[in-house]
Amino acid sequence: MKGNVDSKLLLGLIIGGAIGATIGYLAATDKKEQILNDLNDIIAKAKSAFTSAVSTYRGCTPETAIADSEAQSEA
């Protein structure tokens, strides 16, 4: 049992270190604006795909789903 806890702790430390190193690299690079713009584009595409999938599941068109989601966010 103790070995399992130790391995989980070690894995958590490694993952945390990798995330910290990645954030540090992104903060220090000159290309961080380009990277952030690329990430925003990816997020926008994923949001559009998700909205399309949900609207297809609900049986409505993507345009009405987008209009509905915008109306709900404004309320």
Side-chain angles (χ1 to χ4, degrees):
M1 182 79 176
K2 177 110 171 103
N4 191 20
V5 173
D6 290 341
S7 64
K8 287 182 180 181
L9 176 65
L10 181 61
L11 181 62
L13 289 173
I14 291 171
I15 291 172
I19 291 171
T22 302
I23 291 172
Y25 172 76
L26 290 176
T29 63
D30 294 335
K31 297 181 181 182
K32 65 182 171 186
E33 292 296 324
Q34 180 184 1
I35 293 169
L36 290 175
N37 288 336
D38 291 344
L39 287 174
N40 284 334
D41 290 342
I42 292 169
I43 291 170
K45 288 178 184 177
K47 183 179 176 183
S48 175
F50 179 77
T51 303
S52 177
V54 169
S55 65
T56 301
Y57 175 75
R58 290 183 179 170
C60 61
T61 63
E63 292 80 21
T64 57
I66 292 172
D68 289 345
S69 68
E70 288 174 353
Q72 288 177 356
S73 66
E74 290 176 359

